[in-house]
Amino acid sequence: VYPNPFDNKIFIKGEFKGALVEIADLYGKVVYSAPFTQPEINLPLLSAGFYVVSVKEGKRVFQQKLLKK
């Protein structure tokens, strides 16, 4: 997942079939959830701060902390 920190867009590199992308704040509240269909995700309405992005594909889960400027 890049860039980190980001302004309004993030990109997810990889091939995920039937994956779900979720972004949660540090309190665990999910602020974005959608099927993975394209590598670019626009997030202009998120406030500045730290988030955790999760890509869930079957039993595999990839997580990464992100900082929005």
Side-chain angles (χ1 to χ4, degrees):
V1 179
Y2 64 95
N4 192 9
F6 71 99
D7 288 315
N8 291 317
K9 293 181 187 178
I10 62 170
F11 297 88
I12 299 175
K13 186 177 180 180
E15 292 189 30
F16 303 99
K17 302 230 185 246
L20 176 67
V21 177
E22 289 186 343
I23 299 174
D25 62 20
L26 291 183
Y27 298 105
K29 179 181 176 190
V30 175
V31 295
Y32 176 89
S33 180
F36 180 78
T37 57
Q38 59 185 359
E40 180 180 323
I41 298 174
N42 290 310
L43 302 164
L45 300 178
L46 287 186
S47 301
F50 286 97
Y51 295 89
V52 177
V53 62
S54 300
V55 181
K56 301 175 181 180
E57 180 184 34
K59 293 183 179 184
R60 295 186 335 156
V61 178
F62 168 81
Q63 289 187 319
Q64 182 177 326
K65 285 186 183 177
L66 293 174
L67 173 63
K68 181 165 185 186
K69 296 182 195 177

